[in-house]
Each structure stands twice: as C-alpha cells, then as structure tokens.
Amino acid sequence: MATAAIFSSLRRRRLPSLEAFLAPVDLTDVALVQTLANISSELVSCFSNKAFFFQRRNSRSLIRKMEILVVLLESLRDSGSGSMSMSSLPSTAILCFNEVYLLLYRSKILLDYCAQSGKLWLLLQNDSISGYFHDLNQEISTLLDVFPIKDVELSDDVREQVELLQKQARNAKLYVDKSDENLRVTFFSFLNEFGNGRIPNLVELRLFFVERLGIRDAKSCRCEIEFLEEQIVNHEGDIVPTASVLNGFVAITRYFRFLLFGFEEDGVQLSFGNQKKPRKGLIIREIADTFLTIPKDFCCPISWDLMRDPVIISTGQTYDRSSIVRWMEEGHCTCPKTGQTLIHTRLVPNRTLRNLIMQWCTAHGVPYDPPENTDASAESFAAALPIKAATEANKATATLLIQQLANGSQGAQTIAAREIRLLAKTGKENRAFIAEAGAIPHLRRLLSSSSPVAQENSVTAMLNLSIYDKNKSRIMDEDGCLRSIVEVLRLGLTTEARENAAATLFSLSAVHDYKKRIADQEGAVEALAGLLRVGTPRGKKDAVTALFNLSTHTDNCARMIEAGAVTALVGGLGNEGVAEEAAGALALIIRQPIGAEAVGKEENAVAGLIAMMRCGTPRGKENAVCALLELCRSGGAAATERVLKAPALAGLLQSLLFTGTKRARRKAASLARVFQRCENAPLHFGGLGVGYALAGNSTTNNSRFAGDVSVPMSISVL
C-alpha cells in the first residue's frame, strides 16, 4: 500500500518529489518501450478486475486510459521501434517515455491507495482524491499532446484509439461522485449531532454504516477505526480534516461498533497464546516523555520541555516565555543559544510555531494549555465542535462498556476492559467520565481474573485512569483495589500485567499521602524490588521510578530496607537504564541514619556511585554526588572513610566542580568541605582547592530537602 509520504506527494498541481517517484529500474540500460509495455500491462491486469468501493468511475476511467497506453506501447514494441536504442529515438519521444513511466508509477500508487485504504478515510478524502485522478488525466492529455505520434509507425486502428484518448483526456472535467459526496455530508452530520449533545438515530447509523458503507461486523468496524487513528499519527498534524475532526469520527465509529454489533468477537484473539499486541496509539504528554519524541523545534532550548508560549527575542531565537523570562530575571543579557547580546528585552509571540505545536499536540493526544492571555484562534473555534462531539460519543461508548463490565459474559468483559483501556489512553475528560460512570469497581474485580488478557487489560486500564489526579483517590478509596494491584504486581499472569501494575503504583504514589499506604501494603515494596532486579528494561524502569517516589516519604525508609529495596537499588546503579533513578532513591534513603547504615553495608554501593559520577548522565552524576555526601553526613566515620578512600574520586569531584550542573557543583563543594575536615584530606584531596573555591563561592545554599534529588518522571500510556 502506498505510504503516506508517497501519497502526500500527489497533492494537486505539485510535481512528484524525487524520493517518492525514483524509478526502481535503470531505463538507460534496457529496451525502453519493452519495459513500459510490460509495466503498463501488469498495471492493467492487476486492477482491471479489482472492486473499488469509492472512486469507481474515476478508477475505471484511469484503467481504460492505461489499456489504450498498453495498446500503443505494444504496437510500438511489435513494430520494431521498441528495439531501437534510446539514442535513435526522437528526443521528444524519450522525454515522453520517461514521463509515461512516472505516470504509470503514480497511477499504481493512487489505485493501490483507493483499493486498500479504509472506507471512512476514502470518504473523508473524496474531494482530494478526485482531484488526484483529474491531475493524472491532465498529465495524460499533456503527454499525448507532446508525443510525436507522426514520427512513429502505428496501424490506423491504434492511431485512432490514441487520438480518441487524446481528445477525451483534453475535454475531461473533474468528477466528484455525488452519491459519495452525500455520504460524506451525512458523516459530518453525525459529528454535528454529537457536538450539539444529541445522539444520532440508530436507524440512520445502521443505514449509513451497514447499508451504504458495507461495514457489517465488529472486525470491519475496528479496521476502520485503526486506519483513521493511523492517519492521525502518521500525518504529524498536517492533515485534512484536522486531527480533532478525525478524533470525533473515531469516537462516533467506536460508539456505533458497540451499539450495533454489541460485544461479539472482532478478530482480536482473547486466548493468551494468540494474544494480539495492541497498537501503540496516541500518547499523553504527562507520562510519555520516554516513548514519544517531541520534535526538536517544539522544545525550548533552555528547558528542553515542550513550549507552551513560544516567544521570539531580539536575536531571532525562540524560547518558551517562562524560561526566557526567568533567564533574564537572573541578570543575563545574552541569548542563551547564540551568546549574542540582547538589543532589547521585548518578547514577540511566535504564533505560527504555537499553532504548529497545538496541531501536533492534538494529533498525538498531548494536553496543550495555551497562555491565558492568548487570543482564541480560528483553529480553536473550529476545533470546539468536533472535540465536544468526540467527548459525547466517547461518553455514550463508555456507558455501553461499563454495562458489559458489570453484567456481560467473560468474553464481553474482556473486550470491554480492552476498550476502556484504549479509551482512557488520551484526554483527562475521557478518564474523568469513565471513572465517574463507575468503571473502577468492575475493573478491580477483573484484576483477579484467571484470563491473562482480561487481567492485563484491566490493570492497564487502571493505570491509564490513574493519570487523572482525581481518579487517584477513587482508586485508593475503592475497597481492596490497592491490594489487587499489588497482587497483579506479585503474581500477574503476564509480564506486561506485572509491569503495568508497577507503573500504576508509581502513578498513585505521586500523591504524598498515598506513599505510606502503598509501602505498607503487604508485598508491594518486595515485588517492586524483585522487578527491579530481574524485570525487562521497561519493567525495571517502572519499578525504580515507583521506588524513588516511595523513598521521598521519610516514614518509608525502614520498610524499604526490610523489603530489600536498598539492595535492589544498589544493583540498579550498574544498569544504565535505571541508574539515575536508583542513585536518586538511595540519596533520599541515606538521609536517615538507618538508611545510611543499610547503604553503608552494601559492598558495591560506593563503587556504584563512583561509577555514576564517572559515566552517568548530568542528572545521574548529580544524584550520585548527593548520595555520597549524605552517606558521609549520616553514615558515621566508617562510611566517610570508605568514601574518602574511593579511587579516582578526587579527579571526579574536581571535574564536577567545574562542569557539573548547578546543584551538582553545590553538592560537590559540600563534599569537598567534608573532606577538608578529615585528618588525611590534604593527602588525598590536595588538588581540590581551586575548584572548591570557585564552586564554594558561587553558592551558600546547603539545603537537604528532597528537591535536591531529581529524576525524570514518565510512564507510557498503554
């Protein structure tokens, strides 16, 4: 099937890009006419008997024109012209033959696209695709006008067919099927119905989807939904209709699927052995930094976060307003990126970039809150109705799904859990009304299901719902829900279920009051420590971030030591994927005497932290030096001596004093002061004087709050 990149190059009145239409064969080394005759004949035979649901007339018309080109090319081949080398052909003919090749290639792409794309997508693109067919028709007309037909040997009947084709192509008009266009208008009317708070009539929905479009079962409906979702993701916001409109149509189609076909099997296997992995769908910003790559141009060069209010400074560079204002308030008068002196401090809103960011966020389900003083753009008004339509359709769908969770068969409950999982992937509105409708108690019961698929979907749905802050309390207040999540973490039937249970605990532990409750839940910390030791890379990441969150509550220290979390975190220092978070958690645990004692007893703790200072990320080095400092402060003389005698620490500290982050330099300076007070410090650390002086003079803050330890926090929505 034609890729989006290739198809996008078929835009009206644009020449094809080189990437899209490079010839797969070298026409300079073969008989040109023979090659074109074979290609055109193959194209006709491939599509002549294919059924096109949309663009039937345009497709058949193009194929008939290709048939006449086959007759022309085969006649030239059989007459002997085809055996001539390119040098002996008229230059005009050579030019036309090369253009014919590209014409055939473009025709194949477009016919493939019409034959294999989703019906709803083709319906929405009806006008554009009709225009693409008209473009090809104009190319045929131009080629035949230029082709030196008098200079080649043709029989009379072939010449007559070519001349008739030339006349037809020249007089052809853009054709848009009226019945297809009426269907498209009907589809948009459903969007308007939902947008205005009304649910379309079931008879009308059945007539449209089943009778007119031939979508007669749940599997076909799911294929249509997935195709629309792929277009939203693949086109990166450059899409018509807009992503918000397409999301509305996806919601309507999903509602229709369950309303009309109920919960019959739709082709997705429900047995564990044949489980179909769900597609990676739209991603939510607050938990997807490690799974969704934000375009570099959308990130602020200062914070590297997605820009919410991009502004242009005097050097022409763009920054997020909050970041550049903070930069200027700190007394800087240069451009952070270029180093140029700022001529003035005026900030000009970059509205073009902001609109692009908004489109990208909409396409990927990323929440985007424009600044309060931003004027509402036309795009915002245009998106309001389809966004409301999608919300209302999703609410109606959620009601049907929760009814099945409560009263359906085991198979229906599994399907309902999977769909709630998918529905809760994007948007706080979806997560809010799903929980408000009563999904959480039913999902809790499914956590104990003997079906691996049902359990995995229910715990993942719980994870996605927990991202919305108000749902955290609903989950924690549900009797037995935390216990059931921990049981899945300990004894889950699939690896993904156990990993997602860990991610759910991390999400819930974002609320300080819940950290103690989670740590006190029997088996929770032990299971997280076990996952950190032997889990998959993703499982280890989920476990270590959850342990970090739990370690920020001082009352959890003894529980984490007892459960073996300290040993697991020390082991994590040697794993590049989790070392940064492990060092941060250890730094927090060490701040308490019992924590420092426990870490001090770990044989590889100091060596692991030293290795982090040598090879870790800037944030990892920062957490490592913080942990070493706390070990010296709280671990007693023996721990301090172990740190003091660590090989290569002097050079690493001096390097950090000059090149580390601001927080790392502060901690390194504090550690240097500890060493200076030690009896043998001059012997081991005599080279730290200059660096210590520079770093020490730059800061006087020596706070020991949890904010001194930092790790990136992100989970994937699944």
Side-chain angles (χ1 to χ4, degrees), residues 281-308:
L282 306 183
I283 305 293
I284 286 300
R285 166 72 177 98
E286 60 260 50
I287 56 171
D289 289 344
T290 49
F291 292 86
L292 176 64
T293 302
I294 301 173
K296 182 179 178 182
D297 292 339
F298 293 173
C299 296
C300 176
I302 297 175
S303 66
W304 286 107
D305 290 332
L306 182 69
M307 286 189 278
R308 301 287 164 175

Side-chain angles (χ1 to χ4, degrees), residues 402-697:
I402 293 169
Q403 289 173 357
Q404 288 299 314
L405 277 181
N407 305 311
S409 64
Q410 181 177 350
Q413 289 178 340
T414 301
I415 293 175
R418 182 192 65 202
E419 293 301 321
I420 287 177
R421 163 187 183 165
L422 297 174
L423 198 58
K425 282 165 62 173
T426 58
K428 66 179 182 181
E429 295 85 2
N430 290 359
R431 297 180 186 123
F433 64 65
I434 289 172
E436 290 167 359
I440 290 173
H442 303 303
L443 290 171
R444 181 196 63 76
R445 287 195 293 271
L446 272 184
L447 292 175
S448 303
S449 172
S450 59
S451 165
V453 181
Q455 184 188 73
E456 183 179 307
N457 280 312
S458 59
V459 73
T460 310
M462 200 76 78
L463 164 63
N464 292 347
L465 291 173
S466 72
I467 296 162
Y468 181 50
D469 285 342
K470 291 185 179 179
N471 286 346
K472 291 178 175 27
S473 61
R474 292 188 175 106
I475 293 172
M476 294 295 290
D477 293 342
E478 176 64 28
D479 186 36
C481 195
L482 177 59
R483 181 176 63 252
S484 297
I485 293 170
V486 172
E487 284 302 300
V488 175
L489 173 62
R490 293 176 60 242
L491 305 170
L493 300 174
T494 68
T495 299
E496 186 170 348
R498 294 190 293 273
E499 292 172 347
N500 291 348
T504 305
L505 293 183
F506 163 59
S507 177
L508 295 172
S509 65
V511 179
H512 185 75
D513 291 345
Y514 298 154
K515 294 174 183 179
K516 187 71 166 64
R517 288 179 58 185
I518 293 171
D520 288 343
Q521 181 63 47
E522 183 180 359
V525 180
E526 288 88 346
L528 288 171
L531 188 61
L532 176 56
R533 284 193 297 267
V534 299
T536 65
R538 195 201 132 211
K540 291 181 177 182
K541 193 76 170 180
D542 291 332
V544 76
T545 49
L547 288 172
F548 177 87
N549 260 9
L550 297 181
S551 68
T552 61
H553 196 298
T554 56
D555 292 344
N556 287 339
C557 184
R559 180 75 185 90
M560 295 184 72
I561 295 170
E562 175 191 355
V566 170
T567 302
L569 289 168
V570 170
L573 294 174
N575 186 314
E576 183 180 354
V578 299
E580 190 174 294
E581 295 85 351
L586 288 172
L588 294 171
I589 292 171
I590 292 171
R591 287 178 177 177
Q592 298 188 58
I594 58 171
E597 181 182 356
V599 174
K601 291 179 180 179
E602 293 292 330
E603 183 178 350
N604 298 321
V606 173
L609 293 169
I610 293 294
M612 276 287 292
M613 289 183 61
R614 180 182 296 109
C615 304
T617 63
R619 190 175 285 157
K621 293 177 180 179
E622 175 184 304
N623 289 344
V625 72
C626 181
L628 290 172
L629 174 61
E630 296 301 333
L631 189 58
C632 291
R633 285 173 170 171
S634 306
T640 303
E641 185 178 359
R642 288 182 61 188
V643 175
L644 181 69
K645 292 182 178 180
L649 183 58
L652 293 173
L653 263 182
Q654 187 161 18
S655 174
L656 205 57
L657 285 166
F658 283 103
T659 64
T661 64
K662 183 177 181 180
R663 184 182 291 129
R665 292 197 302 271
R666 186 175 72 239
K667 295 300 180 182
S670 297
L671 187 54
R673 285 195 290 269
V674 172
F675 291 145
Q676 285 189 337
R677 288 195 295 268
C678 292
E679 181 179 356
N680 296 322
L683 175 63
H684 295 281
F685 297 97
L688 286 177
V690 176
Y692 162 72
L694 290 173
N697 291 337

Side-chain angles (χ1 to χ4, degrees), residues 151-451:
D151 297 338
V152 295
E153 182 181 346
L154 295 172
S155 62
D156 291 340
D157 61 324
V158 173
R159 192 179 300 275
E160 288 176 3
Q161 291 184 62
V162 174
E163 290 174 349
L164 178 61
L165 174 60
Q166 183 179 24
K167 181 179 179 181
Q168 291 175 343
R170 188 181 297 144
N171 297 329
K173 305 295 182 183
L174 172 66
Y175 175 74
V176 179
D177 192 297
K178 290 184 178 179
S179 61
D180 293 349
E181 187 63 18
N182 289 335
L183 279 178
R184 192 176 71 88
V185 171
T186 300
F187 201 16
F188 272 91
S189 72
F190 295 152
L191 193 72
N192 290 332
E193 289 277 323
F194 274 107
N196 291 318
R198 299 186 298 271
I199 297 179
N201 183 277
L202 175 60
V203 175
E204 294 178 353
L205 288 171
R206 182 189 296 273
L207 179 64
F208 176 79
F209 282 100
V210 179
E211 303 300 330
R212 299 287 178 82
L213 294 182
I215 301 174
R216 303 183 187 279
D217 53 44
K219 182 178 179 180
S220 299
C221 212
R222 171 159 291 282
C223 290
E224 294 293 330
I225 291 171
E226 290 180 347
F227 195 92
L228 290 178
E229 289 179 333
E230 286 177 2
Q231 306 317 304
I232 296 171
V233 174
N234 292 340
H235 284 75
E236 296 287 342
D238 180 20
I239 189 172
V240 178
T242 63
S244 61
V245 173
L246 287 180
N247 281 324
F249 287 133
V250 167
I252 291 171
T253 309
R254 183 181 289 114
Y255 170 72
F256 161 77
R257 174 252 191 272
F258 290 107
L259 180 67
L260 194 61
F261 302 124
F263 289 77
E264 66 181 69
E265 181 50 52
D266 61 0
V268 177
Q269 297 295 324
L270 297 182
S271 61
F272 174 63
N274 294 320
Q275 182 186 359
K276 177 180 177 181
K277 296 296 275 186
R279 289 171 179 258
K280 178 182 176 183
L282 306 183
I283 305 293
I284 286 300
R285 166 72 177 98
E286 60 260 50
I287 56 171
D289 289 344
T290 49
F291 292 86
L292 176 64
T293 302
I294 301 173
K296 182 179 178 182
D297 292 339
F298 293 173
C299 296
C300 176
I302 297 175
S303 66
W304 286 107
D305 290 332
L306 182 69
M307 286 189 278
R308 301 287 164 175
D309 187 11
V311 293
I312 303 171
I313 64 174
S314 64
T315 60
Q317 300 295 324
T318 296
Y319 300 92
D320 201 19
R321 183 184 295 273
S322 60
S323 297
I324 193 63
V325 167
R326 186 165 58 250
W327 170 268
M328 293 177 177
E329 288 176 348
E330 290 176 354
H332 299 287
C333 57
T334 58
C335 173
K337 193 171 183 180
T338 66
Q340 295 175 270
T341 301
L342 299 179
I343 301 174
H344 56 75
T345 58
R346 291 194 303 274
L347 304 177
V348 180
N350 191 335
R351 292 188 175 88
T352 300
L353 180 58
R354 186 179 66 222
N355 289 337
L356 290 174
I357 294 173
M358 290 175 65
Q359 292 175 15
W360 181 86
C361 289
T362 301
H364 291 82
V366 176
Y368 183 84
D369 299 319
E372 294 181 0
N373 60 346
T374 300
D375 295 333
S377 64
E379 290 85 353
S380 299
F381 286 117
L385 182 65
I387 289 174
K388 184 179 179 182
T391 300
E392 293 301 320
N394 285 333
K395 283 183 178 180
T397 302
T399 301
L400 297 175
L401 296 174
I402 293 169
Q403 289 173 357
Q404 288 299 314
L405 277 181
N407 305 311
S409 64
Q410 181 177 350
Q413 289 178 340
T414 301
I415 293 175
R418 182 192 65 202
E419 293 301 321
I420 287 177
R421 163 187 183 165
L422 297 174
L423 198 58
K425 282 165 62 173
T426 58
K428 66 179 182 181
E429 295 85 2
N430 290 359
R431 297 180 186 123
F433 64 65
I434 289 172
E436 290 167 359
I440 290 173
H442 303 303
L443 290 171
R444 181 196 63 76
R445 287 195 293 271
L446 272 184
L447 292 175
S448 303
S449 172
S450 59
S451 165

